Amino acid sequence: MLQAANSKPRRRPRGQPDTRSAILSCAEQLMQRRGFNGFSYQHIATQLGLRTAAIHYHFPAKDDLGVALVRRYRESFQNWVRELEFDADAWTRLQAYFRTYLEHLESDEGRLCPGGVLGAEFGTLSDTMRVEARLLMREIYAWLVLTLEEGRREGKLRFQGDAYDKAVEVGAALQGGLQIARLAGAQRFRQLLGQLELELTGRKPQIGPLP
C-alpha cells in the first residue's frame, strides 16, 4: 500500500531498538540460558510484549531466526577483533578473550557461550545453521591461532607444538569450563583460567580460596 502523500513516516523513539533487533537480543539471551531448542517464539513474545505474528514477520521460521543469530555472533566477534587490533600484545588480547567467558559466567543467568550451545545441539540444527556455526568456529579458531603464534614470537607466550593444536585445547577448555562452573561454581572456572595462564606464560597466578 502506498503511503499517503501528506503523511509522515513513523520514526522510532530515540534510543529504542527496532523490533527485529529486540527479537534477536531476546533470542540470544534465551539461547544462552536454555539452548536453541529450549525456547519458542512464545517465550520471546511474552518477554517482549509482542504477538508471535510480529516475530514471524521478521523470521518466518525458527531456522531463519537461528541463522540470523549466528550471523550476528560472527559480526560481533569480527567487530570485537577489530577493536583489539591495536592492543599492546597478544597476551593482552588473549586475556580480553578470556574475560568474555567470565562475563558469561558472572551474568545473573550464568549464560553459556554461543559456541558451546551450538556445539551441544549441533546434531539437531538445520543444515543452514550448521554452516553458519562452522564458520563462526572457524573464525574464532583462526584468530586464536594467529594470537598464539604472535604471542610466541613476542616471547610473551610459550607452549609446545602447533599453535592450531593449542588453540583447540584452549577453546575446548573454555567452553567446557563454563559448563562445569554451572554445577561446581564460578571459582572452578577461575581455576581453569589460572591453569591456562600458567601453561601459556609460566607465571603462577594468585587463585583465591575455594568455596
Side-chain angles (χ1 to χ4, degrees):
M1 181 184 294
L2 294 176
Q3 185 174 300
N6 60 350
S7 66
K8 294 182 179 179
R10 291 185 178 182
R11 292 187 177 180
R12 189 170 68 251
R14 184 174 296 177
Q16 180 177 330
D18 63 77
T19 302
R20 187 178 190 277
S21 295
I23 291 169
L24 283 170
S25 295
C26 182
E28 178 179 348
Q29 294 175 9
L30 289 168
M31 176 173 163
Q32 290 182 260
R33 292 200 309 265
R34 296 167 169 258
F36 184 69
N37 295 314
F39 72 91
S40 67
Y41 277 14
Q42 187 60 54
H43 288 102
I44 301 173
T46 300
Q47 191 162 319
L48 295 181
L50 298 173
R51 300 176 64 181
T52 55
I55 305 172
H56 282 288
Y57 173 80
H58 293 280
F59 306 102
K62 195 178 178 187
D63 180 55
D64 300 314
L65 174 62
V67 170
L69 268 179
V70 185
R71 286 177 178 167
R72 192 167 86 147
Y73 287 137
R74 292 177 59 201
E75 183 179 355
S76 295
F77 178 73
Q78 291 160 6
N79 291 337
W80 180 84
V81 168
R82 281 192 290 270
E83 290 174 2
L84 284 178
E85 280 180 346
F86 302 106
D87 270 16
D89 56 53
W91 173 233
T92 300
R93 296 197 298 275
L94 200 57
Q95 285 178 303
Y97 183 64
F98 292 169
R99 281 196 297 273
T100 65
Y101 282 81
L102 274 174
E103 288 167 4
H104 290 314
L105 178 64
E106 293 173 351
S107 65
D108 292 338
E109 305 89 358
R111 297 191 300 264
L112 293 174
C113 69
V117 174
L118 294 169
E121 297 186 321
F122 192 77
T124 66
L125 302 180
S126 69
D127 290 342
T128 311
M129 275 195 73
R130 289 183 185 184
V131 169
E132 292 295 327
R134 286 192 175 107
L135 288 172
L136 174 65
M137 288 296 98
R138 186 180 302 169
E139 290 159 1
I140 291 173
Y141 278 106
W143 177 83
L144 273 174
V145 170
L146 290 175
T147 304
L148 289 166
E149 288 176 339
E150 182 180 333
R152 185 156 59 179
R153 287 196 306 269
E154 294 170 342
K156 299 284 187 178
L157 301 176
R158 64 182 196 180
F159 54 89
Q160 297 295 318
D162 186 79
Y164 183 82
D165 294 336
K166 193 65 178 179
V168 170
E169 178 188 347
V170 169
L174 292 170
Q175 289 183 12
L178 274 187
Q179 295 182 0
I180 291 170
R182 296 183 100 183
L183 294 173
Q187 182 64 16
R188 296 295 181 264
F189 190 77
R190 295 188 182 91
Q191 283 179 285
L192 168 66
L193 293 184
Q195 187 64 25
L196 287 175
E197 180 175 349
L198 178 62
E199 291 178 359
L200 289 169
T201 69
R203 295 189 299 269
K204 185 173 178 60
Q206 296 297 316
I207 302 294
L210 298 179

